[in-house]
Coordinates of all heavy atoms in Angstrom, one line a residue:
M57 N 6.7 -22.5 17.0 CA 6.3 -21.1 17.0 C 5.0 -21.0 17.8 O 4.1 -21.7 17.5 CB 6.2 -20.7 15.5 CG 6.0 -19.2 15.4 SD 5.9 -18.7 13.7 CE 7.5 -18.0 13.6
E58 N 5.0 -20.0 18.6 CA 3.9 -19.9 19.5 C 2.8 -19.0 18.8 O 3.1 -18.3 17.9 CB 4.3 -19.2 20.8 CG 5.2 -20.1 21.7 CD 5.5 -19.5 23.0 OE1 4.8 -18.6 23.4 OE2 6.5 -19.9 23.6
F59 N 1.6 -19.0 19.4 CA 0.5 -18.2 18.9 C 0.8 -16.7 18.9 O 0.4 -16.0 18.0 CB -0.7 -18.6 19.7 CG -2.0 -17.9 19.2 CD1 -2.6 -18.3 18.1 CD2 -2.5 -16.8 19.9 CE1 -3.7 -17.7 17.6 CE2 -3.6 -16.2 19.5 CZ -4.2 -16.6 18.3
D60 N 1.4 -16.2 20.0 CA 1.7 -14.8 20.1 C 2.7 -14.4 19.0 O 2.6 -13.3 18.5 CB 2.3 -14.5 21.4 CG 1.3 -14.7 22.6 OD1 0.1 -14.6 22.3 OD2 1.7 -14.9 23.7
A61 N 3.6 -15.2 18.6 CA 4.6 -14.9 17.6 C 3.8 -14.8 16.2 O 4.1 -13.9 15.4 CB 5.7 -15.9 17.5
N62 N 2.9 -15.7 16.0 CA 2.1 -15.7 14.8 C 1.3 -14.4 14.7 O 1.2 -13.8 13.6 CB 1.2 -16.9 14.7 CG 1.9 -18.2 14.5 OD1 3.0 -18.2 13.9 ND2 1.3 -19.3 14.9
I63 N 0.7 -14.0 15.8 CA -0.1 -12.8 15.8 C 0.8 -11.6 15.5 O 0.4 -10.6 14.8 CB -0.8 -12.6 17.2 CG1 -1.9 -13.7 17.4 CG2 -1.5 -11.2 17.3 CD1 -3.0 -13.7 16.3
E64 N 2.0 -11.6 16.1 CA 2.9 -10.5 15.8 C 3.3 -10.4 14.4 O 3.4 -9.3 13.8 CB 4.2 -10.7 16.7 CG 5.2 -9.6 16.5 CD 4.8 -8.3 17.0 OE1 4.0 -8.2 18.0 OE2 5.3 -7.3 16.5
H65 N 3.5 -11.5 13.7 CA 3.9 -11.6 12.3 C 2.7 -11.0 11.5 O 2.9 -10.3 10.5 CB 4.2 -13.0 11.9 CG 5.6 -13.4 12.3 ND1 6.8 -12.7 11.9 CD2 6.0 -14.4 13.1 CE1 7.8 -13.3 12.5 NE2 7.4 -14.3 13.2
L66 N 1.5 -11.4 11.8 CA 0.3 -10.9 11.1 C 0.2 -9.4 11.3 O -0.2 -8.7 10.3 CB -1.0 -11.6 11.6 CG -1.2 -13.0 11.0 CD1 -2.4 -13.6 11.7 CD2 -1.3 -13.0 9.5
Q67 N 0.4 -8.9 12.5 CA 0.3 -7.4 12.7 C 1.4 -6.7 11.9 O 1.1 -5.7 11.3 CB 0.5 -7.1 14.2 CG -0.7 -7.5 15.1 CD -0.4 -7.2 16.5 OE1 0.7 -7.1 17.0 NE2 -1.5 -7.2 17.3
Q68 N 2.6 -7.2 11.8 CA 3.6 -6.6 11.0 C 3.2 -6.6 9.6 O 3.4 -5.7 8.8 CB 4.9 -7.3 11.2 CG 5.6 -7.1 12.5 CD 7.0 -7.8 12.6 OE1 7.4 -8.5 11.7 NE2 7.7 -7.6 13.7
A69 N 2.7 -7.7 9.1 CA 2.3 -7.9 7.7 C 1.2 -6.8 7.3 O 1.3 -6.1 6.3 CB 1.8 -9.3 7.4
Y70 N 0.2 -6.7 8.2 CA -0.9 -5.7 7.9 C -0.4 -4.3 8.0 O -0.7 -3.5 7.2 CB -2.0 -5.9 8.9 CG -2.9 -7.1 8.7 CD1 -3.4 -7.9 9.7 CD2 -3.2 -7.6 7.4 CE1 -4.1 -9.0 9.5 CE2 -3.9 -8.7 7.2 CZ -4.4 -9.4 8.2 OH -5.1 -10.5 8.0
W71 N 0.5 -4.0 8.9 CA 1.1 -2.7 9.0 C 1.9 -2.3 7.7 O 1.8 -1.2 7.2 CB 2.0 -2.6 10.2 CG 2.6 -1.2 10.3 CD1 4.0 -1.0 10.3 CD2 2.0 0.0 10.6 NE1 4.2 0.4 10.4 CE2 3.0 1.0 10.6 CE3 0.7 0.4 10.7 CZ2 2.7 2.3 10.8 CZ3 0.4 1.8 10.9 CH2 1.4 2.7 10.9
H72 N 2.7 -3.3 7.2 CA 3.5 -3.1 6.0 C 2.6 -2.9 4.8 O 2.9 -2.2 3.9 CB 4.5 -4.1 5.9 CG 5.7 -3.9 6.8 ND1 5.7 -4.5 8.1 CD2 6.8 -3.2 6.7 CE1 6.8 -4.1 8.7 NE2 7.5 -3.4 7.9
I73 N 1.5 -3.7 4.8 CA 0.5 -3.5 3.7 C 0.0 -2.1 3.7 O -0.1 -1.4 2.6 CB -0.6 -4.5 3.8 CG1 -0.1 -5.9 3.4 CG2 -1.8 -4.2 2.9 CD1 -1.1 -7.0 3.8
L74 N -0.3 -1.6 4.8 CA -0.8 -0.2 4.9 C 0.3 0.8 4.5 O 0.0 1.8 3.8 CB -1.3 0.1 6.3 CG -2.6 -0.5 6.7 CD1 -2.9 -0.2 8.2 CD2 -3.8 0.0 5.8
L75 N 1.5 0.6 4.9 CA 2.6 1.5 4.6 C 2.8 1.5 3.1 O 3.1 2.6 2.5 CB 3.8 1.1 5.3 CG 4.0 1.5 6.8 CD1 5.3 1.0 7.4 CD2 3.9 3.0 6.9
V76 N 2.8 0.4 2.5 CA 3.1 0.3 1.0 C 2.0 0.8 0.2 O 2.2 1.6 -0.8 CB 3.5 -1.1 0.7 CG1 3.7 -1.3 -0.8 CG2 4.8 -1.5 1.3
S77 N 0.8 0.4 0.5 CA -0.4 0.8 -0.4 C -1.0 2.1 0.0 O -1.8 2.7 -0.8 CB -1.4 -0.3 -0.3 OG -2.0 -0.4 1.0
G78 N -0.7 2.6 1.2 CA -1.4 3.8 1.7 C -1.2 5.0 0.8 O -2.2 5.7 0.5
P79 N 0.0 5.4 0.5 CA 0.2 6.6 -0.3 C -0.5 6.6 -1.7 O -1.2 7.6 -2.1 CB 1.7 6.7 -0.6 CG 2.3 5.9 0.5 CD 1.3 4.8 0.8
V80 N -0.5 5.5 -2.4 CA -1.1 5.4 -3.7 C -2.6 5.4 -3.5 O -3.3 6.2 -4.3 CB -0.7 4.1 -4.4 CG1 -1.4 3.9 -5.7 CG2 0.8 4.0 -4.6
L81 N -3.2 4.7 -2.5 CA -4.6 4.7 -2.3 C -5.1 6.1 -1.8 O -6.2 6.6 -2.2 CB -5.0 3.6 -1.4 CG -4.8 2.2 -1.9 CD1 -5.2 1.2 -0.8 CD2 -5.7 2.0 -3.1
G82 N -4.3 6.7 -1.0 CA -4.7 8.1 -0.5 C -4.7 9.1 -1.6 O -5.7 9.9 -1.7
V83 N -3.7 9.1 -2.5 CA -3.7 10.0 -3.6 C -4.8 9.7 -4.6 O -5.5 10.7 -5.0 CB -2.3 10.0 -4.3 CG1 -2.3 10.8 -5.6 CG2 -1.3 10.6 -3.3
A84 N -5.1 8.5 -4.8 CA -6.2 8.1 -5.7 C -7.5 8.5 -5.2 O -8.4 9.0 -5.9 CB -6.2 6.6 -6.0
L85 N -7.7 8.4 -3.9 CA -8.9 8.8 -3.2 C -9.1 10.3 -3.3 O -10.2 10.8 -3.6 CB -8.9 8.4 -1.7 CG -10.1 8.9 -0.9 CD1 -11.3 8.1 -1.3 CD2 -9.7 8.7 0.6
M86 N -8.0 11.1 -3.1 CA -8.1 12.6 -3.2 C -8.4 13.0 -4.6 O -9.3 13.9 -4.8 CB -6.8 13.2 -2.7 CG -6.6 13.1 -1.2 SD -8.0 13.9 -0.4 CE -8.0 13.0 1.1
V87 N -7.8 12.4 -5.6 CA -8.0 12.8 -7.0 C -9.4 12.4 -7.4 O -10.1 13.2 -8.0 CB -7.0 12.1 -7.9 CG1 -7.4 12.2 -9.4 CG2 -5.6 12.6 -7.7
G88 N -9.9 11.3 -6.9 CA -11.3 10.9 -7.2 C -12.3 11.8 -6.6 O -13.3 12.1 -7.2
L89 N -12.0 12.3 -5.4 CA -12.9 13.2 -4.7 C -12.9 14.6 -5.5 O -14.0 15.1 -5.7 CB -12.4 13.4 -3.3 CG -13.3 14.4 -2.4 CD1 -14.7 13.8 -2.2 CD2 -12.6 14.6 -1.1
V90 N -11.8 15.0 -5.9 CA -11.7 16.3 -6.6 C -12.4 16.2 -8.0 O -13.2 17.1 -8.4 CB -10.3 16.8 -6.8 CG1 -10.2 17.9 -7.8 CG2 -9.7 17.2 -5.5
V91 N -12.2 15.1 -8.7 CA -12.8 14.9 -10.0 C -14.3 14.7 -9.8 O -15.1 15.3 -10.6 CB -12.2 13.7 -10.7 CG1 -13.0 13.3 -11.9 CG2 -10.8 14.0 -11.1
G92 N -14.8 14.1 -8.8 CA -16.2 13.9 -8.5 C -16.9 15.2 -8.2 O -18.0 15.5 -8.7
I93 N -16.2 16.1 -7.4 CA -16.7 17.4 -7.2 C -16.8 18.3 -8.4 O -17.8 18.9 -8.7 CB -15.9 18.1 -6.1 CG1 -16.1 17.4 -4.7 CG2 -16.2 19.6 -6.0 CD1 -15.2 17.9 -3.6
V94 N -15.8 18.2 -9.3 CA -15.8 18.9 -10.5 C -16.9 18.4 -11.5 O -17.6 19.2 -12.1 CB -14.4 18.8 -11.2 CG1 -14.5 19.4 -12.7 CG2 -13.4 19.6 -10.4
Q95 N -17.1 17.1 -11.5 CA -18.1 16.5 -12.3 C -19.5 16.9 -11.8 O -20.4 17.2 -12.6 CB -18.0 15.0 -12.4 CG -17.0 14.5 -13.3 CD -17.0 13.0 -13.4 OE1 -17.3 12.3 -12.4 NE2 -16.6 12.4 -14.5
A96 N -19.7 16.9 -10.5 CA -21.0 17.3 -9.9 C -21.2 18.8 -10.2 O -22.4 19.2 -10.4 CB -21.0 17.1 -8.4
A97 N -20.2 19.6 -10.1 CA -20.4 21.1 -10.3 C -20.7 21.4 -11.8 O -21.4 22.4 -12.1 CB -19.1 21.8 -9.9
T98 N -20.1 20.7 -12.7 CA -20.3 21.0 -14.1 C -21.3 20.1 -14.8 O -21.5 20.2 -16.0 CB -18.9 20.9 -14.9 OG1 -18.4 19.5 -14.7 CG2 -17.9 21.9 -14.3
S99 N -21.8 19.1 -14.1 CA -22.8 18.1 -14.7 C -22.2 17.3 -15.8 O -23.0 17.0 -16.8 CB -24.1 18.9 -15.1 OG -24.7 19.5 -14.0
I100 N -20.9 17.1 -15.8 CA -20.3 16.2 -16.8 C -20.2 14.8 -16.2 O -19.5 14.6 -15.2 CB -18.9 16.7 -17.2 CG1 -19.0 18.1 -17.8 CG2 -18.2 15.8 -18.2 CD1 -17.6 18.8 -18.1
N101 N -20.9 13.9 -16.9 CA -20.9 12.5 -16.4 C -20.2 11.6 -17.3 O -20.7 10.6 -17.9 CB -22.3 12.0 -16.2 CG -23.0 12.7 -15.0 OD1 -22.3 13.1 -14.1 ND2 -24.3 13.0 -15.2
E102 N -18.9 11.9 -17.6 CA -18.1 11.1 -18.5 C -17.3 10.1 -17.6 O -16.6 10.5 -16.7 CB -17.2 12.0 -19.3 CG -16.3 11.3 -20.2 CD -17.1 10.7 -21.4 OE1 -18.1 11.2 -21.8 OE2 -16.6 9.6 -21.9
Q103 N -17.3 8.8 -17.9 CA -16.7 7.8 -17.2 C -15.1 7.9 -17.3 O -14.4 7.7 -16.3 CB -17.1 6.4 -17.6 CG -18.5 6.1 -17.3 CD -18.7 6.0 -15.8 OE1 -17.8 5.6 -15.0 NE2 -19.9 6.3 -15.3
T104 N -14.7 8.2 -18.5 CA -13.2 8.3 -18.7 C -12.6 9.5 -17.9 O -11.5 9.5 -17.6 CB -12.8 8.4 -20.1 OG1 -13.5 9.5 -20.8 CG2 -13.2 7.1 -20.9
L105 N -13.4 10.5 -17.7 CA -13.0 11.7 -17.0 C -12.6 11.4 -15.6 O -11.7 12.0 -15.0 CB -14.0 12.8 -17.1 CG -13.6 14.2 -16.5 CD1 -12.5 14.8 -17.3 CD2 -14.8 15.1 -16.5
S106 N -13.3 10.4 -15.0 CA -12.9 10.1 -13.6 C -11.8 9.0 -13.5 O -11.1 8.9 -12.6 CB -14.2 9.6 -12.9 OG -14.7 8.4 -13.5
F107 N -11.7 8.2 -14.6 CA -10.8 7.1 -14.5 C -9.4 7.5 -15.0 O -8.4 7.1 -14.3 CB -11.3 5.9 -15.5 CG -10.3 4.8 -15.5 CD1 -10.2 3.9 -14.4 CD2 -9.6 4.5 -16.6 CE1 -9.3 2.8 -14.5 CE2 -8.7 3.5 -16.7 CZ -8.6 2.6 -15.6
V108 N -9.2 8.2 -16.0 CA -7.9 8.6 -16.6 C -7.1 9.4 -15.6 O -5.9 9.1 -15.4 CB -8.0 9.2 -17.9 CG1 -6.7 9.7 -18.4 CG2 -8.6 8.3 -18.9
P109 N -7.6 10.4 -15.0 CA -6.7 11.2 -14.0 C -6.3 10.4 -12.8 O -5.2 10.4 -12.4 CB -7.6 12.3 -13.6 CG -8.7 12.5 -14.6 CD -8.9 11.1 -15.2
K110 N -7.2 9.5 -12.3 CA -6.9 8.7 -11.2 C -5.8 7.7 -11.6 O -4.8 7.5 -10.8 CB -8.1 7.9 -10.7 CG -9.0 8.7 -9.7 CD -9.9 7.8 -9.0 CE -11.0 7.4 -9.9 NZ -12.1 6.7 -9.2
L111 N -5.9 7.1 -12.7 CA -4.8 6.2 -13.2 C -3.5 6.9 -13.4 O -2.5 6.4 -12.9 CB -5.3 5.5 -14.5 CG -4.3 4.6 -15.2 CD1 -4.1 3.3 -14.3 CD2 -4.8 4.2 -16.6
A112 N -3.5 8.0 -14.0 CA -2.3 8.8 -14.3 C -1.6 9.2 -12.9 O -0.4 9.0 -12.8 CB -2.5 10.0 -15.1
I113 N -2.4 9.8 -12.0 CA -1.8 10.2 -10.8 C -1.4 9.1 -9.9 O -0.4 9.1 -9.2 CB -2.9 11.1 -10.0 CG1 -3.2 12.3 -10.8 CG2 -2.4 11.5 -8.6 CD1 -2.0 13.3 -11.1
A114 N -2.1 7.9 -9.9 CA -1.7 6.8 -9.2 C -0.4 6.2 -9.7 O 0.5 5.8 -8.9 CB -2.8 5.7 -9.2
M115 N -0.2 6.2 -11.0 CA 1.0 5.7 -11.6 C 2.2 6.6 -11.2 O 3.3 6.2 -10.9 CB 0.9 5.5 -13.1 CG 0.0 4.3 -13.4 SD -0.2 4.0 -15.2 CE 1.5 3.5 -15.6
L116 N 1.9 7.9 -11.3 CA 3.0 8.9 -10.9 C 3.3 8.8 -9.4 O 4.5 8.8 -9.1 CB 2.5 10.3 -11.2 CG 3.4 11.5 -10.9 CD1 4.6 11.4 -11.8 CD2 2.7 12.8 -11.0
T117 N 2.3 8.6 -8.6 CA 2.6 8.4 -7.2 C 3.4 7.1 -6.9 O 4.3 7.1 -6.1 CB 1.3 8.3 -6.4 OG1 0.6 9.5 -6.6 CG2 1.5 8.2 -4.9
M118 N 3.1 6.0 -7.7 CA 3.9 4.8 -7.5 C 5.3 5.0 -8.0 O 6.2 4.5 -7.4 CB 3.2 3.7 -8.3 CG 2.0 3.1 -7.7 SD 1.2 1.8 -8.7 CE 2.3 0.5 -8.5
A119 N 5.5 5.8 -9.0 CA 6.8 6.0 -9.5 C 7.6 6.9 -8.5 O 8.8 6.6 -8.2 CB 6.8 6.8 -10.8
L120 N 7.0 7.9 -7.9 CA 7.7 8.7 -6.9 C 7.9 8.0 -5.6 O 8.9 8.3 -4.9 CB 6.9 10.0 -6.7 CG 6.8 10.9 -7.9 CD1 5.9 12.1 -7.6 CD2 8.2 11.4 -8.3
A121 N 7.0 7.2 -5.2 CA 7.1 6.5 -3.9 C 7.7 5.1 -4.0 O 7.8 4.4 -3.0 CB 5.7 6.4 -3.2
S122 N 8.2 4.7 -5.2 CA 8.7 3.4 -5.3 C 10.0 3.1 -4.5 O 10.1 2.0 -4.0 CB 9.1 3.1 -6.8 OG 10.1 4.0 -7.2
G123 N 10.8 4.1 -4.2 CA 12.0 3.9 -3.4 C 11.6 3.6 -1.9 O 12.1 2.7 -1.3
F124 N 10.6 4.4 -1.4 CA 10.1 4.1 -0.1 C 9.4 2.8 0.0 O 9.7 2.0 1.0 CB 9.1 5.2 0.3 CG 8.3 4.9 1.5 CD1 8.9 5.0 2.7 CD2 7.0 4.6 1.4 CE1 8.2 4.8 3.9 CE2 6.2 4.3 2.6 CZ 6.8 4.4 3.8
M125 N 8.6 2.4 -1.0 CA 7.9 1.1 -1.0 C 8.9 0.0 -1.0 O 8.8 -1.0 -0.3 CB 7.0 1.0 -2.2 CG 5.8 1.9 -2.2 SD 4.9 1.6 -3.7 CE 3.6 2.8 -3.5
L126 N 9.9 0.1 -1.8 CA 10.9 -1.0 -1.9 C 11.7 -1.1 -0.6 O 12.0 -2.2 -0.2 CB 11.9 -0.7 -3.1 CG 12.9 -1.7 -3.4 CD1 12.2 -3.0 -3.8 CD2 13.8 -1.3 -4.5
T127 N 12.0 0.0 0.0 CA 12.8 0.0 1.3 C 11.9 -0.7 2.3 O 12.4 -1.6 3.1 CB 13.1 1.4 1.7 OG1 13.9 2.0 0.7 CG2 13.9 1.4 3.0
V128 N 10.6 -0.4 2.4 CA 9.8 -0.9 3.4 C 9.6 -2.4 3.2 O 9.7 -3.2 4.1 CB 8.4 -0.3 3.4 CG1 7.4 -1.0 4.2 CG2 8.5 1.2 3.9
M129 N 9.4 -2.9 2.0 CA 9.2 -4.3 1.7 C 10.5 -5.1 1.9 O 10.5 -6.2 2.4 CB 8.7 -4.5 0.2 CG 7.3 -4.0 0.0 SD 6.1 -4.7 1.1 CE 6.1 -6.4 0.6
T130 N 11.7 -4.5 1.5 CA 12.9 -5.1 1.8 C 13.2 -5.3 3.2 O 13.6 -6.4 3.7 CB 14.1 -4.3 1.1 OG1 13.8 -4.1 -0.2 CG2 15.4 -5.0 1.3
D131 N 13.0 -4.3 4.0 CA 13.1 -4.5 5.5 C 12.2 -5.5 6.1 O 12.6 -6.3 6.9 CB 12.9 -3.1 6.2 CG 14.0 -2.1 5.9 OD1 15.0 -2.5 5.4 OD2 13.7 -0.9 6.1
Y132 N 11.0 -5.5 5.6 CA 10.0 -6.5 6.1 C 10.4 -7.9 5.8 O 10.4 -8.8 6.6 CB 8.6 -6.2 5.5 CG 7.6 -7.3 5.9 CD1 7.2 -7.5 7.2 CD2 7.1 -8.2 4.9 CE1 6.3 -8.5 7.5 CE2 6.2 -9.1 5.2 CZ 5.8 -9.3 6.5 OH 4.9 -10.3 6.8
F133 N 10.8 -8.2 4.5 CA 11.2 -9.5 4.1 C 12.5 -9.9 4.8 O 12.7 -11.1 5.1 CB 11.3 -9.6 2.6 CG 10.0 -9.8 1.9 CD1 9.5 -8.9 1.1 CD2 9.2 -10.9 2.2 CE1 8.3 -9.0 0.5 CE2 7.9 -11.0 1.7 CZ 7.5 -10.1 0.8
Q134 N 13.4 -9.0 5.0 CA 14.6 -9.3 5.8 C 14.3 -9.8 7.2 O 14.8 -10.8 7.7 CB 15.6 -8.1 5.8 CG 16.9 -8.4 6.4 CD 17.8 -7.2 6.3 OE1 17.4 -6.1 6.0 NE2 19.1 -7.4 6.6
T135 N 13.3 -9.1 7.8 CA 12.9 -9.5 9.2 C 12.2 -10.9 9.1 O 12.5 -11.7 10.0 CB 11.9 -8.5 9.7 OG1 12.5 -7.2 9.7 CG2 11.4 -8.8 11.1
I136 N 11.4 -11.1 8.1 CA 10.7 -12.4 8.0 C 11.8 -13.5 7.8 O 11.7 -14.6 8.4 CB 9.7 -12.4 6.9 CG1 8.5 -11.5 7.2 CG2 9.2 -13.8 6.5 CD1 7.8 -11.9 8.5
F137 N 12.7 -13.3 6.9 CA 13.7 -14.4 6.7 C 14.6 -14.6 7.9 O 15.0 -15.8 8.1 CB 14.6 -14.0 5.4 CG 13.8 -14.1 4.1 CD1 14.1 -13.2 3.1 CD2 12.9 -15.1 3.9 CE1 13.4 -13.3 1.9 CE2 12.2 -15.2 2.7 CZ 12.4 -14.2 1.7
E138 N 14.9 -13.6 8.6 CA 15.7 -13.8 9.9 C 14.8 -14.6 10.9 O 15.4 -15.4 11.6 CB 16.1 -12.4 10.5 CG 17.2 -11.7 9.7 CD 17.5 -10.4 10.2 OE1 16.8 -9.9 11.2 OE2 18.3 -9.7 9.6
S139 N 13.5 -14.3 11.0 CA 12.7 -15.1 11.9 C 12.6 -16.6 11.5 O 12.5 -17.5 12.3 CB 11.4 -14.5 12.1 OG 10.6 -14.6 10.9
I140 N 12.6 -16.8 10.2 CA 12.5 -18.2 9.7 C 13.8 -18.9 10.0 O 13.8 -20.0 10.4 CB 12.3 -18.2 8.1 CG1 10.8 -17.8 7.9 CG2 12.5 -19.6 7.6 CD1 10.5 -17.6 6.4
R141 N 14.9 -18.2 9.8 CA 16.3 -18.7 10.1 C 16.4 -19.0 11.6 O 17.0 -20.0 12.0 CB 17.4 -17.8 9.8 CG 18.7 -18.4 9.9 CD 19.8 -17.4 9.5 NE 19.5 -16.6 8.4 CZ 20.0 -15.3 8.2 NH1 20.8 -14.8 9.1 NH2 19.6 -14.6 7.2
A142 N 15.7 -18.3 12.5 CA 15.8 -18.5 13.9 C 15.0 -19.6 14.4 O 15.1 -20.1 15.5 CB 15.3 -17.2 14.7
I143 N 14.1 -20.1 13.6 CA 13.2 -21.3 14.0 C 14.0 -22.5 14.1 O 13.8 -23.3 15.0 CB 12.1 -21.5 12.9 CG1 11.1 -20.3 13.0 CG2 11.3 -22.8 13.2 CD1 10.0 -20.4 11.9
R144 N 15.0 -22.7 13.3 CA 15.9 -23.9 13.4 C 16.4 -24.1 14.8 O 16.6 -24.5 15.6 CB 17.1 -23.8 12.5 CG 16.7 -23.9 11.1 CD 17.9 -23.8 10.3 NE 17.7 -24.2 8.9 CZ 18.7 -24.5 8.1 NH1 19.9 -24.5 8.5 NH2 18.5 -24.8 6.9

């Protein structure tokens, strides 16, 4: 296997990591930003107030996006296994 092929596999892996984790992290970031603004506006500095909504929304996002995530990961692993089979 050549160096360029290894780089291509790494690029695909990083891209798929972004595709799978991006929706959950993006939603958690937005919820954290909104909760932080609300906390700053109301002067409420409760730790659980920032953690619980992010956890709940992140889990809901994972549940809703699980089909997309599974499809992306299945396609990626199918590509990887086909490339491993082609090495022989």
